[in-house]
Amino acid sequence: MGIYDRYVLPKLIDTACGMGDVMKRRARLVPQAYGDVLEIGIGTGLNLAYYDKARVTRVTGVDPAAQMQVTARQRAAEIGIPVDMVAVDVRGIHADAGRFDTVVMTFTLCSIADPLPALQEMKRVLADDGRLLFCEHGLAPEKSVQTWQRRLTPWWKPLAGGCHLDRDIPALITEAGFVIEQLETGYIKGPRPMTFIYEGVAGK
């Protein structure tokens, strides 16, 4: 791992993913989590402050970027909920089928190299009556913006931890076998190729 990935990228991601409109989305989505929670791509722990300790019994955070967990552990110590962190991707946790009541995925699916198997593993470890809470940026509806998303993605990925700008988030979630129950879409502040948001809830 180079100096950029180890020291610079975590700070850039923490800053970019901690901006006002992004945090407003986290603040609206994450409190819906309940029970035993699996958070995909916990990163620096930006979601942790929004878990409701009256509803959540434990959070397991997975993220292959172990260098981000120093900050996440500091944030975890402040919330009054047990938090476990594992430096693997979602396919490496080896959890029992149906273990988790809630899976939380925010601004993460863009950077998973092979998203469909990862989503299928999320579905496997989610309880039959559990919920996937997601908020992701992805493919915009306008053809002109899509063109720029596809042009920029090869240049953007190395700078932004593997982030793809052009993923069709609802299509991937549905293809993995989830049923989307709620979905809101729209732009937040910022360059349009990077700011079209899909926020919603899905079940099995």
Side-chain angles (χ1 to χ4, degrees), residues 65-155:
Q67 69 273 23
M68 296 195 186
Q69 291 187 9
V70 173
T71 303
R73 291 184 190 283
Q74 293 170 350
R75 288 171 171 156
E78 299 172 356
I79 67 170
I81 300 170
V83 179
D84 302 316
M85 283 179 250
V86 189
V88 296
D89 66 25
V90 64
R91 289 176 289 173
I93 62 170
H94 306 299
D96 292 339
R99 171 185 161 179
F100 295 101
D101 302 298
T102 312
V103 174
V104 174
M105 180 178 66
T106 59
F107 304 97
T108 295
L109 196 59
C110 63
S111 61
I112 296 176
D114 202 356
L116 189 56
L119 282 162
Q120 290 169 337
E121 179 67 359
M122 295 178 215
K123 182 173 179 286
R124 185 189 72 81
V125 300
L126 184 65
D128 288 342
D129 59 350
R131 291 294 178 269
L132 168 67
L133 307 179
F134 63 92
C135 186
E136 299 284 343
H137 73 95
L139 191 67
E142 299 90 350
K143 294 293 184 183
S144 60
V145 181
Q146 291 177 10
T147 298
W148 277 106
Q149 288 178 313
R150 292 180 175 122
R151 284 176 181 168
L152 291 170
T153 289
W155 303 92

Side-chain angles (χ1 to χ4, degrees), residues 42-65:
I42 194 168
T44 58
L46 286 167
N47 285 334
L48 289 171
Y50 298 116
Y51 286 109
D52 182 349
K53 63 183 179 182
R55 290 168 53 86
V56 172
T57 56
R58 178 173 292 274
V59 177
T60 300
V62 298
D63 198 313

Side-chain angles (χ1 to χ4, degrees), residues 183-200:
L183 182 64
E184 295 184 22
T185 63
Y187 288 99
I188 59 174
K189 293 179 182 177
R192 287 203 155 201
M194 303 170 186
T195 57
F196 190 78
I197 302 297
Y198 296 90
E199 179 182 346

